[in-house]
């Protein structure tokens, strides 16, 4: 007799639940998405015990007639797609027909629903996947689903749930971010007797950020907005015999547009992990490596390599451009034109950062450090809603890490996690980054000016006064007192120049009087072989000299012979420690950064007046004068307001 049998529906549902329902927040996500798909404009969520005891979600959407209310709990029952072709252009958040049966198989669930056209509605009770009651009842239009005792019948899963406050924080973060993605809808989240979020409909995403997090948070973010007309439709290639026919159809079809908008944090905001980058594609919250990579690229050489920005990015594109059917919990997608999308996101965010060139502020909070806590702090709404301390931001690797922020004490102003606040009259600025992030802790990390926005364009009006300890240039203009780190300022100037010359293939170089012999370790030799071509394009001429030695004959202009060996050794070591395969852009930028760093004016070096002025004017011309290629700040400003405040004039 054969050994294979088909599993029962009940077992199949539990297996699906294993993929779809990981924790209370995943139940909230599925129910929230169903409510949005049902066209609701008001969604209210109530939870008890971090969602472990109860999740109740009520919407004013289209509701279900009795037959649909029963069918909804069958596996693969959905109203959202009909055939396989529909999968190529899913415009709803759900489409698998799995969420409700999965959730119902691992909880005690009650559904109450009525369509606006009917006079009475339907109540359905299901316990651990078993339907125990179906009744007609007088109900408001819309749908309400109560999920109690999650995993009551799977103790092993229940054991894996975290504390109530952790689970609640995941739910809070999830609801907050969905509220951010849908500013035109009313969202409420209540836990026990606390209102954690109440967000009435507003006109746009900016207003929603303001409504949920407060003004200061909005001030820390730069708005991103860009549109790309797509050149072609990214659907998979049809079989050869259908191409001609489809080409004709496609010729008449508009490939549509890619819209990218949202908010990207100013460079002062630094997070220790990637969990504060939230990306929505057609209203769906996703975790996507491609987009994360594009965002990190956008901040390259603006943020230090080990810290990350806060980003809230909404992408809208024709449904045919994105395959949503690649992950059971629908948190991953596959773009059909990956490179186009990656590059456009990178360039749009980068352009925003370049355009804003926000000025670092001199005054600082003493304990400011890059923070590991993801997300943004909720502000106004929480305050008015008397949120309790259950909001705890937590990062859990592997989880659906949509974690929630900490509620500030009522008296405290709104701020990002990690604390960005201005201490009114303190002219102190301490390194925000730990030593491992910014190796040279003599360099201060700035804080943003919360009072006045000053563009680094005003650098060009600076008048140099002198140096502090032959290392920092003091300068003034109408906007206040400025301190410029002479080494990193020159490094930024040279870095951009090397990159520019390299791309124009016009690198200035110098012939050494005597070839410089450098001995390499085997690891360095391997890297040298790999990057020697790029080194040559950057002005080096070096060739093997015996088995373990290279002879450098020509080097980039500005590098002293004494620095060349150190620079090359350091560069080769850096690359040899790299685990990933090197891409050409990284190699190019690292070489440029290394040349710039070694050729730049050092600290402890006296500068003549005209040299200081030259440096300030060159810095003003750079694309990104706010940070050095390693992400450290170049200038700090002590604003007029701070000066007046410190002298108690205001
Ligand atoms: N809040 C709601 N209001 C109206 N109809 C709903 C609601 N929730 C679920 N439904 C109906 O029940 C069906 C099944 O829901 P379910 O979440 O299981 O599947 P789905 O949303 O179609 O796909 P997925 O499994 O990807 O979420 C939906 O297709 C929808 O027609
Ligand atoms: Mg669904």
């Amino acid at each position: 007799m054969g050994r294979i049998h088909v599993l029962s529906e009940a077992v199949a549902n539990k297996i699906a639940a294993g993929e779809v329902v990981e924790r209370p927040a995943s139940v909230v996500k599925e129910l929230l998405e169903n409510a949005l798909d049902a066209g609701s404009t008001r969604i209210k969520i109530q939870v008890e015990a971090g969602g472990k005891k109860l999740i109740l979600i009520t919407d004013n959407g289209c509701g279900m007639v009795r037959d649909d209310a029963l069918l909804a709990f069958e596996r693969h029952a959905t109203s959202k797609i009909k055939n396989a072709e529909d999968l190529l252009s899913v415009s709803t958040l759900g489409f698998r027909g799995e969420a409700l049966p999965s959730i119902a198989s691992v909880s005690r669930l009650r559904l109450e629903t009525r369509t606006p056209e009917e006079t009475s509605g339907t109540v359905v009770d299901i316990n651990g996947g078993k339907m125990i009651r179906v009744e007609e009842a007088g109900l408001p239009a819309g749908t309400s689903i109560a999920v109690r005792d999650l995993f009551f019948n799977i103790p092993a899963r229940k054991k894996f749930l975290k504390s109530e406050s952790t689970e609640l924080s995941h739910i809070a973060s999830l609801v907050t971010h969905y509220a951010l993605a849908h500013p035109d809808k009313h969202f409420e989240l209540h836990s026990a007797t606390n209102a954690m979020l109440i967000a009435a409909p507003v006109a746009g995403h900016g207003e929603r950020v303001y409504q949920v997090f407060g003004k200061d948070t909005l001030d820390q973010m730069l708005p991103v907005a860009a549109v790309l007309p797509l050149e072609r439709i990214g659907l998979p290639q049809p079989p050869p015999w259908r191409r001609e026919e489809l080409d004709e159809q496609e010729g008449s079809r508009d490939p549509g547009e890619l819209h990218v908008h949202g908010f990207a944090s100013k460079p002062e905001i630094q997070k220790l992990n990637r969990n504060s980058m939230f990306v929505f594609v057609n209203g769906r919250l996703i975790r996507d490596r491609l987009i994360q990579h594009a965002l990190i690229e956008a901040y390259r050489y603006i943020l230090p390599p080990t810290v990350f920005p806060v980003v809230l990015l909404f992408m809208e594109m024709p449904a045919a451009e994105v395959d949503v059917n690649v992950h059971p919990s629908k948190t991953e997608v596959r773009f059909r034109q990956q490179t186009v999308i990656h590059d456009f996101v990178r360039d749009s965010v980068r352009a925003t950062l370049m355009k804003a060139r926000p000025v670092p502020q001199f005054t600082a909070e003493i304990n400011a450090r890059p923070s590991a806590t993801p997300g943004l702090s909720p502000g106004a709404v929480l305050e008015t809603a008397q949120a309790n301390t259950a909001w705890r931001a937590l990062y859990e690797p592997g989880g659906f890490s949509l974690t929630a922020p900490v509620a500030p004490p009522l008296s405290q102003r709104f701020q990002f996690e990690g604390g960005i606040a201005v201490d009114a009259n303190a002219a102190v600025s301490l390194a925000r980054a730990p030593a491992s992030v910014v190796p040279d802790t003599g360099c201060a990390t700035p804080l943003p000016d919360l009072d006045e926005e000053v563009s680094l364009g005003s650098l060009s009006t600076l008048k140099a006064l002198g140096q502090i300890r032959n290392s920092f240039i003091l300068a003034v203009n109408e906007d206040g007192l400025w301190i410029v780190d002479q080494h990193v300022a020159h490094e930024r100037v040279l870095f951009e120049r090397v990159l520019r010359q390299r791309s124009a293939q016009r690198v200035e170089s110098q012939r050494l009087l005597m070839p410089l012999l450098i001995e390499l370790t085997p690891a360095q030799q391997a890297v040298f072989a790999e990057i020697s071509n790029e080194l040559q394009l950057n002005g080096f001429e070096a060739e093997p000299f015996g088995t373990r030695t290279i002879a450098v004959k020509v080097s980039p202009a500005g590098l002293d012979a004494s620095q060349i060996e150190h620079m090359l050794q350091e560069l080769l070591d850096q690359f040899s420690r790299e685990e990933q395969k090197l891409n050409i852009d990284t190699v190019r930028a690292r070489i440029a950064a290394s040349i710039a760093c070694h050729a730049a004016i050092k600290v402890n070096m006296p500068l003549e007046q005209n040299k200081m002025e030259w440096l300030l004017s060159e810095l003003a011309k750079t694309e990104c004068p706010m940070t050095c290629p390693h992400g450290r700040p170049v200038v700090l400003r002590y604003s007029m307001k701070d000066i007046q405040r410190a002298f108690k004039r205001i």
Side-chain angles (χ1 to χ4, degrees):
M1 202 172 102
R3 289 176 296 125
I4 302 178
H5 50 264
V6 173
L7 294 175
S8 74
E9 175 97 356
V11 178
N13 281 338
K14 278 202 178 139
I15 292 174
E19 291 170 331
V20 177
V21 188
E22 191 194 334
R23 61 188 337 151
S26 19
V27 173
V28 175
K29 172 180 175 289
E30 292 298 338
L31 300 182
L32 200 55
E33 291 191 345
N34 279 347
L36 289 167
D37 281 345
S40 314
T41 54
R42 276 186 82 90
I43 300 172
K44 181 174 170 189
I45 299 146
Q46 282 164 279
V47 296
E48 278 174 32
K52 296 185 198 180
K53 205 164 148 209
L54 170 73
I55 295 166
L56 170 62
I57 166 162
T58 310
D59 68 49
N60 65 347
C62 64
M64 287 177 265
V65 296
R66 182 189 161 102
D67 285 354
D68 281 352
L70 297 176
L71 254 184
F73 292 96
E74 298 282 327
R75 224 157 116 70
H76 305 309
T78 179
S79 57
K80 301 174 190 176
I81 59 170
K82 285 212 172 69
N83 50 44
E85 295 236 316
D86 291 347
L87 269 181
L88 295 177
S89 56
V90 177
S91 59
T92 47
L93 297 168
F95 57 89
R96 301 169 60 100
E98 269 184 346
L100 285 183
S102 303
I103 296 167
S105 74
V106 293
S107 66
R108 300 183 220 275
L109 183 147
R110 169 170 295 181
L111 165 76
E112 298 183 351
T113 187
R114 175 170 79 80
T115 63
E117 298 79 29
E118 288 180 309
T119 47
S120 67
T122 311
V123 181
V124 179
D125 276 339
I126 301 178
N127 264 3
K130 262 202 212 90
M131 203 165 288
I132 51 174
R133 181 167 82 117
V134 181
E135 260 171 32
E136 201 178 303
L139 293 168
T143 302
S144 149
I145 295 183
V147 175
R148 286 174 208 279
D149 306 328
L150 186 64
F151 297 139
F152 79 96
N153 53 352
I154 316 184
R157 290 298 292 279
K158 200 170 172 177
K159 267 214 307 261
F160 276 103
L161 294 180
K162 297 279 172 357
S163 69
E164 285 178 16
S165 61
T166 303
E167 296 301 341
L168 179 60
S169 75
H170 282 271
I171 295 174
S173 178
L174 182 103
V175 176
T176 306
H177 287 92
Y178 267 92
L180 288 166
H182 299 271
D184 54 332
K185 316 220 151 159
H186 178 109
F187 285 86
E188 277 183 40
L189 172 63
H190 301 260
S191 169
T193 52
N194 280 320
M196 300 187 77
L197 176 84
I198 298 175
V202 282
H205 291 96
E207 285 90 335
R208 194 36 69 92
V209 171
Y210 175 81
Q211 187 184 37
V212 176
F213 297 122
K215 175 176 182 299
D216 287 351
T217 295
L218 193 58
D219 287 347
Q220 311 286 1
M221 307 293 275
L222 300 167
V224 180
V227 184
L228 177 74
L230 292 168
E231 280 174 9
R232 60 182 191 87
I233 294 166
L235 286 175
Q237 277 282 320
W241 60 91
R242 287 198 64 201
R243 271 183 211 164
E244 216 164 274
E245 165 205 345
L246 288 169
D247 274 354
E248 269 168 32
Q249 285 177 16
E250 210 155 274
S252 61
R253 256 167 66 192
D254 176 8
E257 289 176 335
L258 166 62
H259 289 251
V260 169
H261 58 109
F263 301 89
S265 57
K266 293 181 182 172
E268 303 86 34
I269 309 300
Q270 304 186 349
K271 299 282 178 180
L272 286 175
N273 55 51
R274 293 156 205 261
N275 294 344
S276 304
M277 297 192 274
F278 291 93
V279 178
F280 288 82
V281 173
N282 292 344
R284 181 194 306 279
L285 182 55
I286 58 153
R287 289 260 148 217
D288 185 77
R289 278 167 167 269
L290 184 84
I291 303 298
Q292 280 193 351
H293 183 264
L295 294 173
I296 290 166
E297 285 284 290
Y299 279 86
R300 182 125 65 105
Y301 300 111
I302 291 178
L303 280 187
T306 43
V307 302
F308 302 92
V310 176
V311 181
L312 208 56
L313 199 73
F314 304 103
M315 302 167 62
E316 259 80 51
M317 63 190 80
E321 289 299 327
V322 50
D323 186 354
V324 288
N325 187 25
V326 294
H327 193 267
S329 63
K330 297 166 287 185
T331 48
E332 287 170 24
V333 296
R334 192 177 298 126
F335 298 104
R336 299 221 162 86
Q337 304 193 54
Q338 296 204 4
T339 321
V340 175
I341 288 181
H342 172 275
D343 293 358
F344 187 64
V345 167
R346 179 196 59 200
D347 297 346
S348 311
V349 174
R350 182 107 190 149
T352 305
L353 292 168
M354 291 293 138
K355 203 166 128 229
R357 297 163 124 213
V359 188
Q361 167 72 325
F362 189 52
T363 42
E365 184 191 73
I366 291 179
N367 293 321
R369 316 201 146 270
S371 106
T373 47
L376 309 154
S377 296
V381 173
L382 277 172
E383 286 200 327
T384 52
Q386 299 265 314
N388 69 7
T389 48
W391 287 74
R392 179 116 40 85
L394 279 153
Y395 163 54
E396 281 173 58
F400 186 52
S401 23
L402 291 166
T403 39
V406 180
L410 294 189
S411 60
Q412 199 185 322
R413 65 152 107 218
F414 317 139
Q415 61 180 44
F416 272 90
E417 290 305 336
I420 307 292
V422 168
D423 186 350
N425 60 3
V428 253
S429 181
L430 298 182
R432 171 145 20 123
S436 62
V437 175
V438 179
D440 177 4
T441 46
C443 175
T445 305
L447 284 174
D449 183 355
L450 296 180
D451 304 315
E452 315 148 48
E453 263 331 308
V454 173
S455 151
L456 277 173
S458 72
L459 274 177
S460 57
T461 60
L462 281 181
K463 185 164 172 294
L465 300 179
Q467 284 171 291
I468 309 175
R469 298 216 176 174
N470 292 334
S471 303
F472 303 98
I473 301 172
L474 265 188
V476 285
N477 68 3
E478 283 299 297
D479 297 318
L481 173 67
W482 301 63
I483 304 184
V484 181
D485 181 326
Q486 63 191 42
H487 170 66
V488 288
H490 196 207
E491 208 178 347
R492 168 51 73 180
V493 171
L494 292 177
F495 173 67
E496 293 193 12
R497 183 194 298 165
V498 173
L499 282 182
R500 227 176 16 247
Q501 291 184 345
R502 162 66 189 86
S503 63
Q505 308 251 18
R506 289 171 58 173
V507 173
E508 287 169 41
S509 54
Q510 60 197 4
R511 186 160 290 276
L512 305 179
L513 286 176
M514 294 265 292
L516 178 72
L517 300 183
I518 304 177
E519 208 172 301
L520 301 181
T521 63
Q524 289 172 336
Q525 270 175 311
V527 178
F528 179 76
E530 209 177 317
I531 66 168
S532 64
N533 191 35
E534 191 51 43
L535 281 171
Q536 197 179 351
L537 292 166
N538 273 286
F540 283 99
E541 221 182 280
E543 53 194 43
F545 185 85
T547 45
R548 287 227 232 112
T549 309
I550 54 167
V552 182
K553 295 178 176 164
V554 174
S555 76
L559 266 189
D560 271 3
S562 63
Q563 293 163 330
I564 297 172
E565 177 166 3
H566 189 209
M567 187 224 126
L568 282 174
Q569 299 268 15
E570 206 178 78
L571 190 70
L572 295 174
D573 281 344
Q574 202 185 37
F575 281 130
S576 67
R577 281 195 301 268
E578 199 76 31
E579 278 166 20
Q580 275 157 11
K581 184 150 171 43
L582 300 172
N583 82 30
I584 187 68
D585 286 338
T586 316
V587 172
R588 209 165 276 177
R590 287 240 188 112
I591 293 177
S594 182
I595 296 174
C597 179
H598 286 86
I601 299 167
K602 303 283 176 292
V603 292
N604 293 318
M605 187 187 271
L607 298 179
E608 310 252 315
Q609 180 72 19
N610 59 3
K611 193 83 193 244
M612 288 191 273
E613 272 156 22
W614 170 84
L615 183 57
L616 294 179
S617 77
E618 287 298 300
L619 182 65
K621 286 186 227 154
T622 57
E623 230 180 282
C624 177
M626 57 267 200
T627 51
C628 80
H630 305 103
R632 299 202 315 237
V634 176
V635 293
L636 302 176
R637 184 173 62 95
Y638 203 168
S639 76
M640 256 332 270
K641 220 177 215 160
D642 286 327
I643 295 172
Q644 287 173 326
R645 244 190 237 140
F647 284 110
K648 311 277 182 251
R649 285 181 171 275
I650 51 170

